[in-house]
Amino acid sequence: MPRVLVLGATGYLGQSVTQSLVRSGLHDVYGICRSSSKAKILAAIEVSPVISEDPANAPEPFLAAIRRSNIDVVVDCAAAYGDSAKLLAHVTKAGKERLDAFKAEDITSPPRLGYVYVSGGWVHGDSDRLVSDLDPVGTASAATKPLDIVAWRPELERAVLASRDVLDVLIFRPAQMYGRSSSAWGALWGPLANGIKDGKSSITVPAPPNSQSPVIHVDDIADAISLGVGKISLLGGTSVYPVFDVVSSTENIRDVIDAFAKALLADEGKSSDLKFDFVGPGDDVYLKALTATVRCNSSRARELLGWEPKRVGLVSKMEVYAGAWKAGQ
Ligand SMILES: NC(=O)c1ccc[n+]([C@@H]2O[C@H](COP(=O)([O-])OP(=O)(O)OC[C@H]3O[C@@H](n4cnc5c(N)ncnc54)[C@H](OP(=O)(O)O)[C@@H]3O)[C@@H](O)[C@H]2O)c1
């Protein structure tokens, strides 16, 4: 029964990952939280809390938990961004300590500490070309540049891959997530919801009208990560390229906007022939990424992890997802 420690366990994805791991019945699940109030929330959902206020810059509580609880796999779902490389360095240090201890006892081919890093599909950049998780990203030979907001991420992915001399690693690149609070969609959906509330007849949308957005339900990516945790000793070494794009459908942004507005109007008992003016994201780096076209697929995650999404389609069940988003505001 692998013991799994989740960084970012209190976040949007992290909560879903811990629950997928708990539901599998296969793991002891630990979660890093940065305050005692959040520790209670984790304990209530059967996740053993580890309070570590700043795991990147003051890592002792985090490292002590890895040693004390003999953690087998660390999953990094933290939105630590500039500090993510430090988290990797700390886990690599813990993995090295463990290998040295095995070596001192003449144990050959010992189990290695596992590390799952959550990256994102935006590293592929904005392009109409089909891309694969086997394609290089952020290199001179890559077909497109990563989106500006994640320009730093390919280098971090390479550092994760380079740590395979010490760790077993997997990298997941989720598409844009939806479901529950659908936190990432607020930048587009929030202004739309306000416009509808104010009874506007025309709303400006900061998106290109024809972009194709890859999406995935948060529980489906969580299940992919949970499957990866179970297979990390098989797939996380150097014989398989351990990088997985994970997407369940690709949706036209205009359809997403139309469906969201219809769902909200119906929910509020309003009828309207609301018009949209798609003006593009301008210089906003977040909106540029949120509304980018990324044509990736998950065939390797399906083949190698045995993963299949259970929710396929954001637009087709938008009344549920728009309702959940609205309730979460
Ligand atoms: N959401 C998406 O659609 C999406 C899509 C693709 C990729 N991703 C990636 O998935 C990861 C998680 O995203 P999310 O949407 O779940 O983010 P989120 O809801 O903002 O959650 C972030 C989590 O990270 C923790 N955290 C923030 N800064 C930290 C730091 N410096 N050190 C340690 N922990 C820190 C937060 O702790 P507190 O609770 O204490 O604040 C929280 O648990 C990110 O790397 C993101 O880029 C997300």
Side-chain angles (χ1 to χ4, degrees):
M1 176 175 276
R3 292 144 292 200
V4 188
L5 174 62
V6 179
L7 279 153
T10 54
Y12 174 57
L13 172 62
Q15 283 181 36
S16 196
V17 167
T18 63
Q19 292 315 285
S20 179
L21 292 164
V22 167
R23 267 196 310 274
S24 75
L26 299 173
H27 309 289
D28 290 334
V29 185
Y30 300 78
I32 296 284
C33 51
R34 299 193 288 173
S35 67
S36 51
S37 60
K38 293 207 171 171
K40 281 191 187 160
I41 297 171
L42 291 185
I45 53 173
E46 301 179 24
V47 175
S48 303
V50 173
I51 300 178
S52 187
E53 285 176 10
D54 186 1
N57 298 298
E60 258 325 303
F62 161 53
L63 290 174
I66 294 179
R67 295 184 194 112
R68 184 177 61 244
S69 304
N70 275 326
I71 295 298
D72 299 298
V73 182
V74 176
V75 180
D76 180 1
C77 298
Y81 304 129
D83 277 345
S84 301
K86 293 182 191 165
L87 294 173
L88 169 65
H90 300 321
V91 177
T92 306
K93 180 183 164 202
K96 174 96 175 43
E97 274 171 20
R98 191 166 296 177
L99 286 185
D100 289 346
F102 279 121
K103 199 171 165 194
E105 298 193 322
D106 288 331
I107 296 169
T108 50
S109 302
R112 302 195 301 171
L113 182 59
Y115 183 67
V116 176
Y117 175 64
V118 178
S119 177
W122 293 345
V123 293
H124 283 299
D126 186 349
S127 167
D128 278 336
R129 291 170 62 119
L130 286 173
V131 290
S132 154
D133 38 24
L134 296 174
D135 293 339
V137 293
T139 62
S141 68
T144 41
K145 275 192 352 188
L147 283 145
D148 287 347
I149 197 165
V150 293
W152 52 275
R153 212 159 210 174
E155 191 184 334
L156 182 60
E157 286 192 358
R158 285 193 285 278
V160 173
L161 293 173
S163 67
R164 282 179 291 175
D165 54 339
V166 171
L167 305 171
D168 288 331
V169 308
L170 296 178
I171 296 175
F172 285 91
R173 294 193 192 127
Q176 201 53 50
M177 295 174 214
Y178 65 89
R180 309 232 167 69
S181 64
S182 292
S183 49
W185 289 94
L188 274 184
W189 292 356
L192 206 55
N194 289 337
I196 289 171
K197 198 166 90 193
D198 297 344
K200 293 207 169 136
S201 58
S202 164
I203 296 179
T204 299
V205 180
N210 291 317
S211 58
Q212 302 290 325
S213 199
V215 299
I216 185 165
H217 192 281
V218 62
D219 287 346
D220 278 323
I221 174 64
D223 286 350
I225 291 171
S226 181
L227 284 168
V229 164
K231 294 192 160 124
I232 197 164
S233 56
L234 299 172
L235 302 176
T238 49
S239 51
V240 171
Y241 189 62
V243 180
F244 297 98
D245 288 346
V246 199
V247 52
S248 56
S249 62
T250 302
E251 318 243 351
N252 185 292
I253 206 80
R254 183 186 284 277
D255 296 340
V256 172
I257 295 297
D258 271 342
F260 179 79
K262 275 197 190 108
L264 241 59
L265 285 163
D267 184 51
E268 293 177 17
K270 292 182 183 164
S271 66
S272 155
D273 55 350
L274 194 54
K275 302 265 180 306
F276 301 114
D277 184 14
F278 285 83
V279 296
D283 292 334
D284 186 307
V285 286
Y286 181 73
L287 284 169
K288 270 188 185 170
L290 185 62
T291 63
T293 293
V294 185
R295 295 180 66 206
C296 52
N297 72 81
S298 303
S299 48
R300 290 179 63 256
R302 288 182 148 126
E303 281 182 323
L304 296 173
L305 300 170
W307 171 80
E308 286 298 331
K310 297 193 177 91
R311 329 274 182 93
V312 184
L314 164 61
V315 165
S316 63
K317 277 206 174 178
M318 182 56 100
E319 61 274 29
V320 175
Y321 305 123
W325 175 84
K326 193 177 161 192
Q329 296 311 295

